[in-house]
Amino acid sequence: MEIQIDQLTKVYSKDFYALKEISLSISHGMFGLLGPNGAGKSTLMRILVTLMRPTRGSIHIDGKDIHKHRKEVRKMIGYLPQDFRFFSKLKTWEFLDYSAALSGITNKKKRDEAVDQMLEEVGLYDARDRQAGKLSGGMKRRLGIAQALINDPRLIVVDEPTTGLDPDERIRFRNLLSKISGEDRIIILSTHIVADISSTCNQMALLNQGNLAYQGTPEELVNKARGSVWKVILTTPELEKVKEQHPVISTVMMEEGWEVILVADDLAGYPGEKIEPDLEHAYVHFMDRELNEYMLADF
Ligand code: ADP
Ligand code: MG
């Protein structure tokens, strides 16, 4: 399976570009779309699942234009929107049964089987008789992915599924996504949380203010930051000064002073050591460089 996005642009109002000429290709596996709030992630996903049309540009799945073949394309997509809501009165299994019927599983016996299997898969079988609207946040999100998966779609699109979950549920949800990803499936996950990507995705893109800032593997992004991430011990006044000069990733109060991790090409004057970057560091590093380039381009 292959998704080809070409020069996709979305203009919401006269001068407001939510997406600017995005070109991307996505093949099998888990694809992470990372970006801060307002980057354009949900816009891109809504266009991809054919709920919205782009202003310009196109998307092809296995060579087929998604808007020309909308009906066919929708059948192969499972979608979990960012603002997913439940019909509050339905029981968990009833909700899933309803989703299954909507997605075209008309045979009652087949539907029962699909619902039971899916409840099992997402770890909600024991909660099957509970009211869907009263499940915990993490359980709701798992029910959300269950309804997206009920028809065994080849393309799964999940928009910020880990936002608002506590750490346990977040890890559980990531593991669930890894489990369902496979050879002949694409999962596209959007998030503003770097750890969601580093623990699950083999491919990623970075969106920033409607621009595609990066596309590649998480490892390649990390490689770009190698040599520019430092750990240094600072006093409080030093920390204040350094903050003005370099992006600071973390500060921890230690007995000997602040242990600071920051991004810099050179740590002139301070006794620091270079450390091996992780994806979180690489993200800060990349965004800092991007921002500087924009600013330079303005002059
Ligand atoms: P993200 O999902 O990355 O947070 P969105 O795609 O939701 O980003 O939004 C991108 C930008 O487009 C934001 O500035 C948002 O306010 C704006 N936007 C989103 N939807 C609409 C809309 N229907 N009409 C006008 N502006 C919108
Ligand atoms: Mg969004």
Side-chain angles (χ1 to χ4, degrees):
M1 189 176 207
E2 178 92 33
I3 301 173
Q4 189 61 44
I5 300 175
D6 287 303
Q7 304 206 305
L8 203 71
T9 294
K10 180 72 190 179
V11 185
Y12 276 121
S13 51
K14 202 163 137 257
D15 267 336
F16 185 76
Y17 284 70
L19 296 173
K20 296 172 201 160
E21 310 233 338
I22 303 292
S23 295
L24 253 181
S25 50
I26 302 172
S27 49
H28 70 87
M30 253 183 96
F31 188 93
L33 186 62
L34 180 65
N37 287 331
K41 303 181 296 295
S42 295
T43 300
L44 180 56
M45 293 190 144
R46 284 198 292 265
I47 295 172
L48 182 60
V49 302
T50 73
L51 286 177
M52 196 164 75
R53 280 180 178 276
T55 308
R56 285 188 290 281
S58 65
I59 303 181
H60 290 80
I61 298 182
D62 289 340
K64 284 187 176 144
D65 183 294
I66 59 165
H67 285 284
K68 287 192 188 121
H69 298 85
R70 193 195 300 214
K71 240 179 146 178
E72 202 178 322
V73 163
R74 279 197 181 176
K75 274 193 195 140
M76 60 164 114
I77 295 179
Y79 174 48
L80 175 58
Q82 184 170 0
D83 53 359
F84 191 64
R85 297 271 186 278
F86 298 97
F87 305 101
S88 56
K89 290 287 188 287
L90 292 183
K91 288 179 180 168
T92 298
W93 77 266
E94 286 172 333
F95 173 79
L96 214 46
D97 185 62
Y98 178 72
S99 309
L102 275 187
S103 75
I105 311 179
T106 46
N107 180 295
K108 174 80 176 120
K109 190 160 167 282
K110 273 200 181 133
R111 206 161 67 231
D112 285 349
E113 275 171 24
V115 166
D116 279 358
Q117 194 198 331
M118 201 44 70
L119 285 169
E120 196 68 63
E121 177 118 0
V122 300
L124 286 176
Y125 195 84
D126 292 339
R128 64 201 303 277
D129 287 321
R130 280 170 63 183
Q131 210 175 306
K134 288 190 178 160
L135 296 174
S136 73
M139 290 166 114
K140 278 184 185 157
R141 221 59 66 88
R142 281 187 269 138
L143 182 54
I145 196 77
Q147 64 76 37
L149 287 174
I150 193 83
N151 204 20
D152 197 21
R154 290 171 63 214
L155 172 59
I156 296 154
V157 178
V158 285
D159 196 358
E160 300 245 14
T162 65
T163 304
L165 297 186
D166 62 33
D168 280 0
E169 277 286 5
R170 182 168 290 158
I171 290 165
R172 186 166 182 174
F173 196 90
R174 284 179 198 148
N175 290 340
L176 176 61
L177 287 181
S178 300
K179 194 173 81 180
I180 60 178
S181 72
E183 272 294 295
D184 49 353
R185 247 186 192 163
I186 294 179
I187 301 181
I188 302 179
L189 156 84
S190 86
T191 183
H192 65 273
I193 300 162
V194 178
D196 286 345
I197 306 267
S198 46
S199 58
T200 49
C201 298
N202 55 333
Q203 290 286 318
M204 66 174 288
L206 234 167
L207 266 188
N208 189 28
Q209 297 182 349
N211 291 292
L212 182 70
Y214 173 80
Q215 177 188 12
T217 63
E219 291 76 25
E220 283 157 2
L221 193 67
V222 168
N223 286 342
K224 287 178 194 287
R226 191 163 288 124
S228 303
V229 181
W230 299 77
K231 183 160 85 178
V232 55
I233 304 287
L234 300 173
T235 64
T236 302
E238 282 172 340
L239 174 59
E240 291 310 315
K241 204 165 154 212
V242 159
K243 269 185 181 166
E244 286 168 17
Q245 296 165 332
H246 305 290
V248 168
I249 296 169
S250 66
T251 52
V252 183
M253 188 61 186
M254 308 284 274
E255 227 167 278
E256 60 272 33
W258 293 100
E259 186 188 282
V260 180
I261 294 183
L262 55 82
V263 168
D265 288 329
D266 188 3
L267 250 197
Y270 298 109
E273 51 167 331
K274 285 181 186 173
I275 60 166
E276 177 63 20
D278 63 19
L279 192 61
E280 179 98 42
H281 303 148
Y283 177 60
V284 175
H285 171 261
F286 191 85
M287 293 304 263
D288 177 54
R289 296 301 132 101
E290 276 281 304
L291 215 60
N292 282 336
E293 270 168 36
Y294 281 133
M295 284 160 74
L296 286 175
D298 277 348
F299 288 111

